[in-house]
Amino acid sequence: MPRWPADSRERLATAALDLFTEHGYGAVTIDQIADRAGVTARTFFRQFQDKEEVLFADDDLLLPALLETIAEPSGPVDAGTLMERALVALAERMQPAHDLLRRRQAIIDTDVALSGRELAKQARWEAAISSALTARGFRADDASLLAAIGFAVFRRQLHAWIADASADPTPLDERIRAALPSLRTILDATTAR
């Protein structure tokens, strides 16, 4: 039998998010998070590397799913189709967490160190996606550019979706599907003045 509750990770994440929302990220200690979750600080460190990681740990579960979608053996596929398939699959996994992601982003936006950690994690994702595209058969330069473009499109739509506080926001996967054709239009029709 474990010495700490089986659901301690989830309880810690919920407690942290609640406390960060109530008091601000910088004002909350690990001891306070552990106490709110009904566990010890030692249990906290069994689950998370540090206080920041509470906000980013689930991201590590999403990246492998995205990379698996890119690697799926489906024969030859053009970049646009593969990008749509991968980004929509990621959006569908994130869709149920709309309110949680909105709360999390509000906390990240209040702290420069958290924003930096978010950007660093995104850079690692972009590199991993580029490698997956190269393994899929795209030239390395093209894979890098595709990863950057895909990430930019996804990030823009994700932030618009998170900011949408309406009762029934347009689903993230629909936003992604609508944004990809507009990217081609922008590339083909936009000129500098």
PDB file of all heavy atoms in Angstrom, residues 143-163:
ATOM      1  N   ALA A 143      11.047  20.783 -42.362  1.00  0.00           N
ATOM      2  CA  ALA A 143      10.447  20.302 -41.115  1.00  0.00           C
ATOM      3  C   ALA A 143      10.510  21.377 -40.042  1.00  0.00           C
ATOM      4  O   ALA A 143       9.541  21.602 -39.304  1.00  0.00           O
ATOM      5  CB  ALA A 143      11.147  19.034 -40.650  1.00  0.00           C
ATOM      6  N   SER A 144      11.627  22.053 -39.964  1.00  0.00           N
ATOM      7  CA  SER A 144      11.783  23.115 -38.980  1.00  0.00           C
ATOM      8  C   SER A 144      10.804  24.255 -39.243  1.00  0.00           C
ATOM      9  O   SER A 144      10.163  24.769 -38.320  1.00  0.00           O
ATOM     10  CB  SER A 144      13.225  23.628 -39.018  1.00  0.00           C
ATOM     11  OG  SER A 144      13.400  24.665 -38.101  1.00  0.00           O
ATOM     12  N   LEU A 145      10.668  24.644 -40.494  1.00  0.00           N
ATOM     13  CA  LEU A 145       9.743  25.706 -40.865  1.00  0.00           C
ATOM     14  C   LEU A 145       8.297  25.280 -40.630  1.00  0.00           C
ATOM     15  O   LEU A 145       7.488  26.051 -40.093  1.00  0.00           O
ATOM     16  CB  LEU A 145       9.957  26.106 -42.328  1.00  0.00           C
ATOM     17  CG  LEU A 145       9.158  27.297 -42.831  1.00  0.00           C
ATOM     18  CD1 LEU A 145       9.435  28.542 -41.982  1.00  0.00           C
ATOM     19  CD2 LEU A 145       9.493  27.559 -44.292  1.00  0.00           C
ATOM     20  N   LEU A 146       7.957  24.058 -41.001  1.00  0.00           N
ATOM     21  CA  LEU A 146       6.599  23.555 -40.771  1.00  0.00           C
ATOM     22  C   LEU A 146       6.259  23.518 -39.289  1.00  0.00           C
ATOM     23  O   LEU A 146       5.149  23.869 -38.883  1.00  0.00           O
ATOM     24  CB  LEU A 146       6.435  22.159 -41.376  1.00  0.00           C
ATOM     25  CG  LEU A 146       6.364  22.092 -42.890  1.00  0.00           C
ATOM     26  CD1 LEU A 146       6.466  20.644 -43.371  1.00  0.00           C
ATOM     27  CD2 LEU A 146       5.070  22.739 -43.377  1.00  0.00           C
ATOM     28  N   ALA A 147       7.207  23.086 -38.467  1.00  0.00           N
ATOM     29  CA  ALA A 147       6.975  23.042 -37.019  1.00  0.00           C
ATOM     30  C   ALA A 147       6.723  24.445 -36.482  1.00  0.00           C
ATOM     31  O   ALA A 147       5.811  24.663 -35.678  1.00  0.00           O
ATOM     32  CB  ALA A 147       8.154  22.396 -36.309  1.00  0.00           C
ATOM     33  N   ALA A 148       7.506  25.407 -36.937  1.00  0.00           N
ATOM     34  CA  ALA A 148       7.343  26.788 -36.470  1.00  0.00           C
ATOM     35  C   ALA A 148       6.000  27.363 -36.905  1.00  0.00           C
ATOM     36  O   ALA A 148       5.296  28.003 -36.114  1.00  0.00           O
ATOM     37  CB  ALA A 148       8.493  27.656 -36.985  1.00  0.00           C
ATOM     38  N   ILE A 149       5.626  27.138 -38.148  1.00  0.00           N
ATOM     39  CA  ILE A 149       4.346  27.643 -38.655  1.00  0.00           C
ATOM     40  C   ILE A 149       3.190  26.970 -37.928  1.00  0.00           C
ATOM     41  O   ILE A 149       2.250  27.635 -37.478  1.00  0.00           O
ATOM     42  CB  ILE A 149       4.232  27.427 -40.180  1.00  0.00           C
ATOM     43  CG1 ILE A 149       5.219  28.323 -40.913  1.00  0.00           C
ATOM     44  CG2 ILE A 149       2.805  27.677 -40.658  1.00  0.00           C
ATOM     45  CD1 ILE A 149       5.369  28.000 -42.389  1.00  0.00           C
ATOM     46  N   GLY A 150       3.255  25.663 -37.812  1.00  0.00           N
ATOM     47  CA  GLY A 150       2.196  24.927 -37.119  1.00  0.00           C
ATOM     48  C   GLY A 150       2.042  25.388 -35.686  1.00  0.00           C
ATOM     49  O   GLY A 150       0.932  25.579 -35.190  1.00  0.00           O
ATOM     50  N   PHE A 151       3.175  25.593 -35.037  1.00  0.00           N
ATOM     51  CA  PHE A 151       3.124  26.027 -33.651  1.00  0.00           C
ATOM     52  C   PHE A 151       2.541  27.430 -33.548  1.00  0.00           C
ATOM     53  O   PHE A 151       1.745  27.722 -32.649  1.00  0.00           O
ATOM     54  CB  PHE A 151       4.511  25.979 -33.015  1.00  0.00           C
ATOM     55  CG  PHE A 151       4.430  25.810 -31.538  1.00  0.00           C
ATOM     56  CD1 PHE A 151       4.436  24.546 -30.985  1.00  0.00           C
ATOM     57  CD2 PHE A 151       4.299  26.899 -30.701  1.00  0.00           C
ATOM     58  CE1 PHE A 151       4.334  24.371 -29.625  1.00  0.00           C
ATOM     59  CE2 PHE A 151       4.190  26.740 -29.334  1.00  0.00           C
ATOM     60  CZ  PHE A 151       4.204  25.474 -28.796  1.00  0.00           C
ATOM     61  N   ALA A 152       2.900  28.313 -34.468  1.00  0.00           N
ATOM     62  CA  ALA A 152       2.369  29.678 -34.449  1.00  0.00           C
ATOM     63  C   ALA A 152       0.856  29.680 -34.648  1.00  0.00           C
ATOM     64  O   ALA A 152       0.124  30.386 -33.943  1.00  0.00           O
ATOM     65  CB  ALA A 152       3.054  30.533 -35.519  1.00  0.00           C
ATOM     66  N   VAL A 153       0.386  28.890 -35.582  1.00  0.00           N
ATOM     67  CA  VAL A 153      -1.058  28.800 -35.834  1.00  0.00           C
ATOM     68  C   VAL A 153      -1.764  28.240 -34.601  1.00  0.00           C
ATOM     69  O   VAL A 153      -2.762  28.793 -34.135  1.00  0.00           O
ATOM     70  CB  VAL A 153      -1.356  27.919 -37.072  1.00  0.00           C
ATOM     71  CG1 VAL A 153      -2.844  27.582 -37.171  1.00  0.00           C
ATOM     72  CG2 VAL A 153      -0.873  28.608 -38.338  1.00  0.00           C
ATOM     73  N   PHE A 154      -1.219  27.174 -34.045  1.00  0.00           N
ATOM     74  CA  PHE A 154      -1.854  26.550 -32.893  1.00  0.00           C
ATOM     75  C   PHE A 154      -1.872  27.500 -31.697  1.00  0.00           C
ATOM     76  O   PHE A 154      -2.895  27.659 -31.036  1.00  0.00           O
ATOM     77  CB  PHE A 154      -1.156  25.238 -32.516  1.00  0.00           C
ATOM     78  CG  PHE A 154      -1.936  24.464 -31.495  1.00  0.00           C
ATOM     79  CD1 PHE A 154      -2.956  23.625 -31.892  1.00  0.00           C
ATOM     80  CD2 PHE A 154      -1.669  24.594 -30.141  1.00  0.00           C
ATOM     81  CE1 PHE A 154      -3.706  22.920 -30.960  1.00  0.00           C
ATOM     82  CE2 PHE A 154      -2.407  23.905 -29.201  1.00  0.00           C
ATOM     83  CZ  PHE A 154      -3.435  23.057 -29.611  1.00  0.00           C
ATOM     84  N   ARG A 155      -0.753  28.128 -31.442  1.00  0.00           N
ATOM     85  CA  ARG A 155      -0.649  29.037 -30.294  1.00  0.00           C
ATOM     86  C   ARG A 155      -1.650  30.180 -30.426  1.00  0.00           C
ATOM     87  O   ARG A 155      -2.332  30.540 -29.466  1.00  0.00           O
ATOM     88  CB  ARG A 155       0.776  29.571 -30.182  1.00  0.00           C
ATOM     89  CG  ARG A 155       0.999  30.510 -29.020  1.00  0.00           C
ATOM     90  CD  ARG A 155       2.468  30.916 -28.944  1.00  0.00           C
ATOM     91  NE  ARG A 155       2.665  32.063 -28.110  1.00  0.00           N
ATOM     92  CZ  ARG A 155       2.729  32.029 -26.778  1.00  0.00           C
ATOM     93  NH1 ARG A 155       2.593  30.894 -26.149  1.00  0.00           N
ATOM     94  NH2 ARG A 155       2.903  33.130 -26.089  1.00  0.00           N
ATOM     95  N   ARG A 156      -1.760  30.758 -31.604  1.00  0.00           N
ATOM     96  CA  ARG A 156      -2.702  31.865 -31.822  1.00  0.00           C
ATOM     97  C   ARG A 156      -4.130  31.417 -31.566  1.00  0.00           C
ATOM     98  O   ARG A 156      -4.900  32.084 -30.889  1.00  0.00           O
ATOM     99  CB  ARG A 156      -2.535  32.397 -33.245  1.00  0.00           C
ATOM    100  CG  ARG A 156      -3.580  33.398 -33.661  1.00  0.00           C
ATOM    101  CD  ARG A 156      -3.455  34.699 -32.862  1.00  0.00           C
ATOM    102  NE  ARG A 156      -4.516  35.605 -33.167  1.00  0.00           N
ATOM    103  CZ  ARG A 156      -5.603  35.790 -32.411  1.00  0.00           C
ATOM    104  NH1 ARG A 156      -5.774  35.115 -31.305  1.00  0.00           N
ATOM    105  NH2 ARG A 156      -6.525  36.647 -32.766  1.00  0.00           N
ATOM    106  N   GLN A 157      -4.501  30.268 -32.103  1.00  0.00           N
ATOM    107  CA  GLN A 157      -5.872  29.774 -31.925  1.00  0.00           C
ATOM    108  C   GLN A 157      -6.125  29.325 -30.487  1.00  0.00           C
ATOM    109  O   GLN A 157      -7.212  29.518 -29.949  1.00  0.00           O
ATOM    110  CB  GLN A 157      -6.163  28.648 -32.917  1.00  0.00           C
ATOM    111  CG  GLN A 157      -6.152  29.095 -34.366  1.00  0.00           C
ATOM    112  CD  GLN A 157      -7.009  30.322 -34.598  1.00  0.00           C
ATOM    113  OE1 GLN A 157      -8.164  30.400 -34.159  1.00  0.00           O
ATOM    114  NE2 GLN A 157      -6.461  31.313 -35.301  1.00  0.00           N
ATOM    115  N   LEU A 158      -5.123  28.745 -29.860  1.00  0.00           N
ATOM    116  CA  LEU A 158      -5.253  28.325 -28.464  1.00  0.00           C
ATOM    117  C   LEU A 158      -5.520  29.530 -27.568  1.00  0.00           C
ATOM    118  O   LEU A 158      -6.432  29.513 -26.743  1.00  0.00           O
ATOM    119  CB  LEU A 158      -3.988  27.593 -28.004  1.00  0.00           C
ATOM    120  CG  LEU A 158      -3.932  27.217 -26.522  1.00  0.00           C
ATOM    121  CD1 LEU A 158      -5.001  26.185 -26.183  1.00  0.00           C
ATOM    122  CD2 LEU A 158      -2.543  26.688 -26.171  1.00  0.00           C
ATOM    123  N   HIS A 159      -4.757  30.596 -27.749  1.00  0.00           N
ATOM    124  CA  HIS A 159      -4.935  31.777 -26.907  1.00  0.00           C
ATOM    125  C   HIS A 159      -6.276  32.465 -27.168  1.00  0.00           C
ATOM    126  O   HIS A 159      -6.907  32.966 -26.229  1.00  0.00           O
ATOM    127  CB  HIS A 159      -3.749  32.726 -27.048  1.00  0.00           C
ATOM    128  CG  HIS A 159      -2.556  32.246 -26.295  1.00  0.00           C
ATOM    129  ND1 HIS A 159      -2.334  32.561 -24.976  1.00  0.00           N
ATOM    130  CD2 HIS A 159      -1.542  31.420 -26.657  1.00  0.00           C
ATOM    131  CE1 HIS A 159      -1.232  31.968 -24.556  1.00  0.00           C
ATOM    132  NE2 HIS A 159      -0.732  31.269 -25.556  1.00  0.00           N
ATOM    133  N   ALA A 160      -6.730  32.478 -28.412  1.00  0.00           N
ATOM    134  CA  ALA A 160      -8.048  33.041 -28.716  1.00  0.00           C
ATOM    135  C   ALA A 160      -9.144  32.198 -28.066  1.00  0.00           C
ATOM    136  O   ALA A 160     -10.111  32.724 -27.515  1.00  0.00           O
ATOM    137  CB  ALA A 160      -8.256  33.128 -30.223  1.00  0.00           C
ATOM    138  N   TRP A 161      -8.980  30.887 -28.112  1.00  0.00           N
ATOM    139  CA  TRP A 161      -9.958  29.964 -27.526  1.00  0.00           C
ATOM    140  C   TRP A 161      -9.985  30.104 -26.002  1.00  0.00           C
ATOM    141  O   TRP A 161     -11.049  30.166 -25.391  1.00  0.00           O
ATOM    142  CB  TRP A 161      -9.606  28.542 -27.948  1.00  0.00           C
ATOM    143  CG  TRP A 161     -10.419  27.453 -27.352  1.00  0.00           C
ATOM    144  CD1 TRP A 161     -11.742  27.180 -27.572  1.00  0.00           C
ATOM    145  CD2 TRP A 161      -9.953  26.442 -26.457  1.00  0.00           C
ATOM    146  NE1 TRP A 161     -12.120  26.073 -26.863  1.00  0.00           N
ATOM    147  CE2 TRP A 161     -11.038  25.594 -26.178  1.00  0.00           C
ATOM    148  CE3 TRP A 161      -8.716  26.170 -25.885  1.00  0.00           C
ATOM    149  CZ2 TRP A 161     -10.928  24.493 -25.334  1.00  0.00           C
ATOM    150  CZ3 TRP A 161      -8.609  25.066 -25.051  1.00  0.00           C
ATOM    151  CH2 TRP A 161      -9.696  24.247 -24.778  1.00  0.00           C
ATOM    152  N   ILE A 162      -8.813  30.184 -25.390  1.00  0.00           N
ATOM    153  CA  ILE A 162      -8.730  30.334 -23.944  1.00  0.00           C
ATOM    154  C   ILE A 162      -9.371  31.652 -23.515  1.00  0.00           C
ATOM    155  O   ILE A 162     -10.067  31.720 -22.505  1.00  0.00           O
ATOM    156  CB  ILE A 162      -7.266  30.259 -23.463  1.00  0.00           C
ATOM    157  CG1 ILE A 162      -6.758  28.822 -23.546  1.00  0.00           C
ATOM    158  CG2 ILE A 162      -7.114  30.791 -22.050  1.00  0.00           C
ATOM    159  CD1 ILE A 162      -5.267  28.674 -23.290  1.00  0.00           C
ATOM    160  N   ALA A 163      -9.157  32.701 -24.284  1.00  0.00           N
ATOM    161  CA  ALA A 163      -9.691  34.020 -23.934  1.00  0.00           C
ATOM    162  C   ALA A 163     -11.199  34.120 -24.149  1.00  0.00           C
ATOM    163  O   ALA A 163     -11.836  35.019 -23.609  1.00  0.00           O
ATOM    164  CB  ALA A 163      -8.982  35.106 -24.749  1.00  0.00           C
TER     165      ALA A 163
END
